[in-house]
Amino acid sequence: MKILELKVLRGPNYWSNYRKNLIVMKLDIGIYEKLPTNKINDFAKNLVTTLPSLAVHRCSVGKEGGFMSKVKEGTPLSHVV
């Protein structure tokens, strides 16, 4: 992966008119663009070991642990980022 651009925005902007501070990152995820998280060895386990609070993150599922259920099913790495 390679960070192509990183910006810190303050106030209304293209992506949000209610967030006061926003970080915008343009990222090239390379070979991982077409590789879902369930196809990356030990990805879910290593992710929750590194960031334990993700184990209870709700995500789009709307229930505790929803994010990790998506990671285990297989979601694009861009969603994780």
Side-chain angles (χ1 to χ4, degrees):
M1 287 190 277
K2 185 176 176 182
I3 296 173
L4 303 176
E5 190 176 337
L6 192 62
K7 295 181 191 176
V8 177
L9 306 177
R10 290 173 175 74
N13 56 71
Y14 178 80
W15 292 275
S16 176
N17 61 3
Y18 65 92
R19 295 186 190 272
K20 298 200 187 298
N21 296 309
L22 188 70
I23 296 173
V24 178
M25 178 172 50
K26 187 174 183 181
L27 182 67
D28 179 356
I29 60 176
I31 62 169
Y32 298 104
E33 182 177 1
K34 304 227 187 275
L35 194 61
T37 53
N38 63 338
K39 301 294 184 191
I40 302 171
N41 290 336
D42 296 323
F43 184 80
K45 182 183 81 159
N46 292 334
L47 183 62
V48 86
T49 298
T50 304
L51 301 167
S53 64
L54 288 181
V56 295
H57 185 63
R58 294 178 170 273
C59 192
S60 60
V61 175
K63 64 178 184 172
E64 191 171 290
F67 176 73
M68 288 309 296
S69 70
K70 287 293 205 182
V71 169
K72 290 172 185 171
E73 287 172 16
T75 193
L77 191 60
S78 57
H79 178 106
V80 176
V81 173

